[in-house]
């Protein structure tokens, strides 16, 4: 008889059955920590895509797929004797308690956390800037406890390049290594464009590759100063390009033609027509 709703315990049981040597799923049984990493990254992006598309009817399903990745790692950890799901939850709760002294001044999840009882234990931190500064200080202390003494230590190598660039820049900015305002960043972008142009015109494509990287890094800096997530901005740009290109292709198909059959001038005219139509709708 089917229950009304399954629980996290049911999901853990299901995962154990999938990995069971006795009647489990052959595909699930042969997986390892390393082999499911690509799926984890893909599921995280599918969650982001659903949120950006405001597809809330399917967001809970995408979140479930992402949660399943955590459950999978927990099962692998339990089998190898490293950790289990309860250890994941316990470590997470303890870390969040530690990083939110302005909410849990007693340091206990269910303790008496009324601010008036603890006075300065909250550190006077109630505004967003103070909370962020406190958060970074606590994280820095945590990194120090792990033996990560350098400012940039611990920024994961596996992050998407744009995201990692933003995190590296943020770490550097926290110790004062940053432009005073975005005008300096924009000047740097123009400088990098000139250097890229010079490398291309000289035919030095190895230098051009390096200069292109510098330009992208500077663009991430601009995004950070504008408080824009560069990955999100680029995904939105990708979606906009895809929508416009599809509209151009559809227009040509109605004429019985392909994109490859049209001249660049004609494609640009169609592209501009699509942009004008978008502006009219807006």
């Amino acid at each position: 008889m089917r229950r009304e709703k399954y629980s996290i315990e049911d999901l853990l049981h299901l995962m154990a059955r999938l990995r069971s040597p006795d009647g489990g799923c052959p595909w699930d049984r042969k997986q390892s920590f390393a082999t499911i990493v690509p799926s984890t990254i893909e599921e995280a992006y599918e969650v982001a895509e659903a949120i950006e598309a405001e597809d809330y009817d399917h967001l809970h399903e995408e979140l479930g797929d992402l949660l399943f990745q955590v459950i999978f790692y927990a099962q692998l950890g339990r089998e190898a004797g490293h950790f289990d799901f309860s250890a994941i939850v316990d470590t997470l709760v303890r870390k969040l308690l530690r990083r939110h002294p302005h909410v849990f001044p007693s340091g206990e999840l269910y303790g008496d956390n009324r601010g008036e009882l603890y006075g300065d234990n909250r550190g006077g931190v109630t505004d967003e800037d103070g909370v962020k500064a406190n958060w970074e200080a606590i994280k820095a202390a945590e990194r120090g406890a792990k033996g990560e003494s350098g400012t940039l230590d611990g920024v994961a190598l596996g992050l998407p390049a744009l995201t990692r660039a933003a995190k590296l820049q943020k770490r550097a900015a926290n110790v004062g290594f940053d432009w005073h305002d975005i005008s300096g960043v924009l000047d740097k972008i123009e400088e990098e464009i000139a250097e890229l142009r010079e490398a291309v015109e000289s035919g030095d494509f190895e230098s051009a590759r390096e200069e292109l990287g510098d330009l992208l890094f500077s663009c991430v800096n601009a995004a950070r100063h504008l408080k824009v997530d560069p990955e999100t901005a680029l995904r939105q740009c990708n979606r906009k390009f895809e929508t416009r290109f599809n509209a151009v292709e559809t227009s040509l198909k109605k004429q019985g033609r392909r994109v490859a059959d049209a001249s660049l001038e004609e494609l640009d005219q169609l592209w501009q027509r699509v942009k004008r139509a978008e502006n009219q709708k807006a």
Side-chain angles (χ1 to χ4, degrees), residues 185-224:
V185 181
L186 295 178
D187 290 342
K188 185 63 176 176
I189 288 175
E190 291 177 358
E191 176 188 325
E192 297 297 352
I193 290 174
E195 292 178 356
L196 174 59
R197 189 184 302 278
E198 181 181 343
V200 171
E201 290 174 352
S202 70
D204 186 352
F205 291 102
E206 180 59 30
S207 292
R209 179 195 61 77
E210 182 177 346
E211 297 299 344
L212 180 60
D214 292 344
L215 175 57
L216 291 171
F217 192 82
S218 296
C219 288
V220 171
N221 230 333
R224 185 174 57 83

Side-chain angles (χ1 to χ4, degrees), residues 131-151:
V131 168
K132 286 182 178 179
N134 205 29
W135 176 277
E136 292 300 334
I138 292 169
K139 287 175 66 177
E142 291 173 353
R143 291 194 296 271
K146 294 178 182 178
E148 299 172 359
S149 58
T151 300

Side-chain angles (χ1 to χ4, degrees), residues 13-71:
H13 175 74
L14 182 148
M15 186 71 252
R17 287 284 293 114
L18 291 176
R19 289 278 299 176
S20 173
D22 182 18
C25 172
W27 185 89
D28 289 286
R29 285 171 53 193
K30 73 177 183 180
Q31 300 311 308
S32 66
F33 285 107
T35 62
I36 63 173
V37 166
S39 295
T40 306
I41 296 171
E42 180 181 344
E43 298 299 353
Y45 275 110
E46 289 182 1
V47 167
E49 183 177 345
I51 292 172
E52 289 168 7
E54 298 184 355
D55 185 7
Y56 301 118
D57 289 339
H58 295 97
L59 178 57
H60 72 284
E61 180 180 351
E62 300 298 349
L63 288 168
D65 292 342
L66 184 57
L67 173 61
F68 182 70
Q69 301 298 307
V70 177
I71 296 297

